[in-house]
Amino acid sequence: MSKIIQSYDNVPVIAKVGDRKRAGIIKSAATVFSHKGYDGARVDEIARLAGMSKNNMLYYFKSKKILYRVVVEEVLNLWLELIGDIDNFNDPVAVMSSYINDKMKLSRIYPEASRIFAMELLAGAPVISDYLASQLRQWVNSKSHIFLQWQSEGRMAPVPPAHVFFIIWAVTQTYADFKSQITAVLDVEDYDSELYREASQTVVDVMIRGLGLRREPGFQ
């Protein structure tokens, strides 16, 4: 599990002071990068948010470019660890519901991850292009076989599996990336308590119906 997850969830499992400081820097940098992007982020602002001097921070990360790459890699680890997995057990409805709820949970508890990921992609993926063409492609291909199996069994509509993932990622990340728009339109004060439960269920219902998923007999 990555250090940024441990820091974010306030789980005291980092033993060394240097590791704690490094995790604090990464968390602070993620906050600044997610709001201002790479070009707008300033090293002294990140250091101040991390509670240390600029020189002290640069002892751990020699430049903003190095720090940004580490943050993006940590965000990807977090994103993949918390979005859940697609397992090949019997019930498509249960699998899809669990996956979407996990993805919505990530948008709720760590919106910075989604924003940084979106900014990186909009910039042409200068840091993670290799990752997208290797690990992520392999992940999508491996999980696509499960969708194809469901389709062959008549338990899922015949749609290209990769596009199913693109749609789910786009919809669930909207609740992190466009919080101000959603808040204004729905006139909510407490975004977490007033929105996410209903939103998660809505996304699940729409995807299950749209994909024609059929519940396996014996599942509730």
Side-chain angles (χ1 to χ4, degrees):
M1 184 175 289
S2 65
K3 293 181 179 67
I4 196 169
I5 299 175
Q6 295 164 335
S7 175
Y8 187 83
D9 287 340
N10 296 314
V11 179
V13 296
I14 302 175
K16 297 180 180 179
V17 173
D19 288 342
R20 290 199 301 270
K21 287 187 175 180
R22 183 179 183 276
I25 294 169
I26 293 173
K27 179 182 176 183
S28 299
T31 299
V32 176
F33 284 134
S34 72
H35 286 91
K36 298 189 175 181
Y38 177 80
D39 292 334
R42 297 179 55 183
V43 173
D44 55 351
E45 182 180 4
I46 297 172
R48 185 169 60 253
L49 188 60
M52 62 178 64
S53 68
K54 177 180 176 180
N55 288 338
N56 193 9
M57 193 191 80
L58 290 175
Y59 169 81
Y60 293 94
F61 300 96
K62 302 303 181 184
S63 68
K64 184 174 77 168
K65 184 176 181 180
I66 292 174
L67 177 57
Y68 176 74
R69 183 176 185 89
V70 171
V71 167
V72 171
E73 290 174 352
E74 290 282 351
V75 162
L76 284 171
N77 290 335
L78 171 66
W79 198 67
L80 289 178
E81 287 170 359
L82 290 189
I83 59 175
D85 207 353
I86 300 292
D87 295 318
N88 189 19
F89 63 87
N90 289 330
D91 185 44
V93 173
V95 171
M96 190 62 65
S97 298
S98 177
Y99 182 71
I100 292 173
N101 281 320
D102 284 345
K103 191 65 174 62
M104 288 291 290
K105 178 181 178 182
L106 178 56
S107 290
R108 178 175 61 82
I109 67 173
Y110 195 26
E112 292 91 344
S114 180
R115 293 174 191 144
I116 292 173
F117 189 72
M119 288 181 182
E120 171 68 10
L121 294 184
L122 288 172
V127 173
I128 63 170
S129 58
D130 291 344
Y131 168 87
L132 298 177
S134 56
Q135 289 101 312
L136 188 59
R137 178 186 294 171
Q138 292 170 8
W139 187 91
V140 170
N141 288 339
S142 68
K143 304 309 175 185
S144 293
H145 289 298
I146 299 173
F147 288 176
L148 292 174
Q149 178 180 331
W150 291 345
Q151 292 174 16
S152 69
E153 296 169 352
R155 294 191 288 164
M156 180 177 181
V159 295
H163 292 286
V164 176
F165 286 114
F166 297 151
I167 292 169
I168 293 173
W169 296 343
V171 172
T172 55
Q173 286 171 236
T174 291
Y175 290 93
D177 300 342
F178 298 101
K179 177 179 178 179
S180 58
Q181 171 185 277
I182 296 171
T183 301
V185 171
L186 298 181
D187 191 23
V188 296
E189 295 182 1
D190 190 328
Y191 196 66
D192 285 2
S193 65
E194 295 183 56
L195 177 75
Y196 269 96
R197 184 174 181 178
E198 179 183 64
S200 296
Q201 189 59 56
T202 299
V203 175
V204 167
D205 290 345
V206 169
M207 292 302 299
I208 288 174
R209 294 177 186 179
L211 294 173
L213 297 180
R214 293 173 52 193
R215 188 176 293 280
E216 183 71 11
F219 280 83
Q220 298 299 320

